[in-house]
């Protein structure tokens, strides 16, 4: 899962914005730092959507002058679990019963700031009829297209 981010130099800093996530903002002293900080900022915006039980915004194609910012695999799996729950109109309490766990454990499975084990998220997804598919690809060069 990745989103296109635009950087604008403002004085000595680079300010990041994302067309697909209007609430997103981030800043860094260099291009690398701004893009690195953008990962956490994107996760915060997506966590807000999850907390409010809103749809996760679709990422559109990158435009000229933008950079791709990819989320970590664990975050992608957690967002996938959340989307699977939405698709099945499943509440956290229902997922807790299905998994045989307490509600706080489900909260942690859906928290992008908690370091759950990927296997736990995979198990929860399997109970809902989904699986995680991870791929490895070359990193994009850090220059705008």
């Amino acid at each position: 899962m990745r989103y296109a981010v635009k950087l604008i130099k403002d004085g000595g800093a680079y300010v990041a914005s994302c067309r697909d996530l209007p609430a997103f903002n981030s800043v860094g002293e260099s291009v690398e730092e701004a893009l690195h900080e953008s990962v956490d900022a994107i996760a915060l915006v997506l966590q807000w959507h999850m907390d409010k039980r809103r749809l996760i915004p679709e990422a559109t194609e990158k435009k000229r002058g933008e950079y791709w910012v990819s989320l970590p695999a664990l975050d992608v799996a957690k967002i996938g679990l959340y989307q699977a729950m939405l698709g099945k109109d499943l509440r956290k309490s229902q997922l807790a019963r299905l998994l045989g766990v307490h509600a706080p454990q489900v909260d942690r499975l859906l928290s992008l700031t908690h370091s759950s084990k990927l296997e736990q998220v995979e198990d929860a997804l399997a109970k809902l009829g989904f699986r995680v598919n991870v791929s490895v690809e070359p990193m994009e060069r850090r220059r705008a297209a």
Side-chain angles (χ1 to χ4, degrees):
M1 175 177 270
R2 62 189 184 175
Y3 286 90
V5 170
K6 183 173 186 172
L7 299 180
I8 297 174
K9 190 163 186 174
D10 184 15
Y14 290 85
V15 178
S17 62
C18 178
R19 291 177 286 106
D20 301 320
L21 303 170
F24 164 87
N25 63 63
S26 187
V27 68
E29 292 183 13
S30 67
V31 169
E32 290 296 325
E33 183 181 337
L35 294 173
H36 179 75
E37 294 296 324
S38 292
V39 175
D40 290 338
I42 289 170
L44 285 172
V45 172
L46 296 181
Q47 186 70 63
W48 179 86
H49 281 271
M50 293 165 64
D51 292 344
K52 299 294 183 187
R53 200 164 166 82
R54 294 185 177 195
L55 293 176
I56 299 295
E58 291 286 325
T60 56
E61 284 301 311
K62 180 174 72 166
K63 292 184 178 181
R64 184 177 180 88
E66 294 180 330
Y67 299 83
W68 282 125
V69 174
S70 298
L71 293 173
L74 180 59
D75 287 2
V76 175
K78 289 181 175 209
I79 291 165
L81 176 59
Y82 168 75
Q83 290 174 313
M85 289 174 61
L86 277 185
K88 295 184 176 281
D89 198 28
L90 201 64
R91 299 280 181 190
K92 288 180 186 179
S93 59
Q94 294 169 301
L95 181 62
R97 282 192 294 278
L98 182 66
L99 299 176
V101 299
H102 296 287
Q105 290 171 286
V106 171
D107 288 335
R108 288 189 293 271
L109 282 180
L110 294 170
S111 172
L112 300 180
T113 59
H114 185 269
S115 295
S116 305
K117 291 184 178 180
L118 183 57
E119 295 83 9
Q120 294 171 318
V121 182
E122 286 180 304
D123 290 344
L125 279 162
K127 295 274 188 186
L128 299 180
F130 292 86
R131 65 182 176 87
V132 174
N133 184 21
V134 177
S135 66
V136 177
E137 57 190 40
M139 290 180 64
E140 176 185 84
R141 287 187 182 178
R142 291 294 189 190
R143 63 181 174 84

